[in-house]
Amino acid sequence: MTTIAFIGTGIMGKPMAENLQKAGYQLNLSESRTRAPASLVEGGAKAYPSNREAVNDADFIIVMVPNTPDVEDVLFGEDGIEPVLDATKTVIDMSSISPIETQSFAARVNESGAAYLDAPVSGGEVGAINATLTIMVGGEEATFEKALPLFGAMGQNINLVGDNGAGQVCKVANQIIVALNIEAVSEALVFASKAGADPARIRNALLGGFANSKVLEVHGERMVKGTFDPGFRIRLHQKDLNLALTGAETLGVSLPNTKSAQELFSLCAEQGGEDWDHSALIKAIESLSNHNIRGE
């Protein structure tokens, strides 16, 4: 039986691990960061007090943690897994982190003999639960093919997009598009409401036209109803847009609308909304417009 060490069983990681377990994989869980979820242990997963112990007999190591320093710590920190890596193991980082740092991490892991894939995901908690995630993978094709059955247990739209780092570049591009879509839907609904139209009816009408999008469908409904429980938290989208803006500065690329979206997320954060769902960006537009589409 293939054994997977899964490090990071949070909002996204836990349902991803559950789907791997349902697919018949043996899971090793590290309790270095948090306690292993009881449901996974009851389902047969083994809990270990440290990352290294969890990884020791694993074929694959999946890392799903919040940010670049967290991945670095898992790989190379005090309880880092680097000393127990060898040619029998494949590291798959499914976090959303810096593409530049990813290339450095991959090179260092490869020096141990282990293979490395960066495989960030899109689809949010719902996609993680339903195993419908989009998975964007960077790495060697042979390693990708080897890991494809694992990806198939967690997602549906699975693509190898290039060498190490390309998966993270793809995820940053994804987050730019999503943020700008949220901003566009927010502006449209605030405009419609301030003009005297019913934003719920406007949204329904737009769902049948060229302006339709997944953001209008899912987040537009959240905006109309005012249901901003995460989902995907504003502070995490801020982190991703910061990766985009930092990368753009390095590359000499102009991202004016990405910068605008980041400023609106920051306005939400200033209102105590770091942990609101990112669809709550509309609250920043409402605040600037002195108009609430829900009449609150």
Side-chain angles (χ1 to χ4, degrees):
M1 181 183 293
T2 299
T3 298
I4 302 169
F6 204 108
I7 300 173
T9 49
I11 290 176
M12 294 288 290
K14 180 175 179 286
M16 290 164 66
E18 287 173 340
N19 285 322
L20 288 167
Q21 191 173 69
K22 289 174 187 175
Y25 292 102
Q26 173 61 48
L27 295 183
N28 291 353
L29 305 177
S30 169
E31 295 189 317
S32 176
R33 298 172 62 88
T34 58
R35 290 191 64 81
S39 60
L40 288 169
V41 175
E42 290 167 2
K46 298 176 182 178
Y48 294 87
S50 71
N51 294 332
R52 289 179 191 171
E53 290 173 276
V55 164
N56 197 44
D57 68 343
D59 306 292
F60 293 90
I61 301 102
I62 293 179
V63 182
M64 188 61 176
V65 293
N67 211 335
T68 306
D70 300 299
V71 175
E72 184 174 23
D73 184 62
V74 168
L75 297 176
F76 313 117
E78 186 176 344
D79 183 31
I81 65 175
E82 184 181 29
V84 293
L85 295 178
D86 57 38
T88 69
K89 303 184 189 304
T90 299
V91 176
I92 306 174
D93 177 29
M94 304 191 77
S95 320
S96 295
I97 68 167
S98 164
I100 295 172
E101 292 299 316
T102 290
Q103 292 175 333
S104 173
F105 295 166
R108 187 166 168 181
V109 166
N110 290 157
E111 287 176 2
S112 73
Y116 190 99
L117 296 173
D118 50 293
V121 303
S122 179
E125 184 182 9
V126 172
I129 292 170
N130 295 328
T132 57
L133 292 169
T134 291
I135 306 177
M136 301 154 268
V137 187
E140 293 185 357
E141 186 169 0
T143 308
F144 171 74
E145 293 295 336
K146 183 179 176 183
L148 194 54
L150 280 67
F151 294 141
M154 296 180 284
Q156 291 182 342
N157 183 23
I158 304 160
N159 291 280
L160 178 65
V161 296
D163 295 331
N164 284 133
Q168 297 295 350
V169 170
C170 190
K171 176 59 186 288
V172 170
N174 178 86
Q175 295 303 81
I176 292 172
I177 293 170
V178 172
L180 269 54
N181 267 272
I182 292 173
E183 182 176 354
V185 172
S186 298
E187 291 186 11
L189 294 182
V190 171
F191 169 80
S193 178
K194 190 67 179 280
D198 182 343
R201 291 187 176 186
I202 295 294
R203 171 185 165 274
N204 287 337
L206 294 176
L207 287 173
F210 199 57
N212 189 23
S213 68
K214 197 70 174 178
V215 168
L216 179 63
E217 177 188 345
V218 176
H219 290 337
E221 183 176 29
R222 285 175 174 264
M223 294 171 187
V224 169
K225 293 182 177 179
T227 53
F228 299 124
D229 296 334
F232 189 74
R233 300 174 193 273
I234 281 176
R235 60 179 168 83
L236 295 178
H237 211 144
Q238 285 182 293
K239 179 260 295 184
D240 292 339
L241 293 191
N242 186 54
L243 292 175
L245 294 169
T246 301
E249 184 176 356
T250 301
L251 296 168
V253 174
S254 176
L255 301 178
N257 291 323
T258 302
K259 184 177 180 181
S260 170
Q262 183 74 308
E263 289 170 351
L264 293 168
F265 280 137
S266 294
L267 183 55
C268 289
E270 289 171 9
Q271 298 173 16
E274 281 191 339
D275 289 321
W276 294 341
D277 184 78
H278 56 169
S279 60
L281 180 145
I282 193 173
K283 289 192 172 189
I285 303 294
E286 290 172 330
S287 176
L288 293 170
S289 305
N290 195 29
H291 179 78
N292 187 291
I293 72 169
R294 296 166 300 282
E296 297 172 350

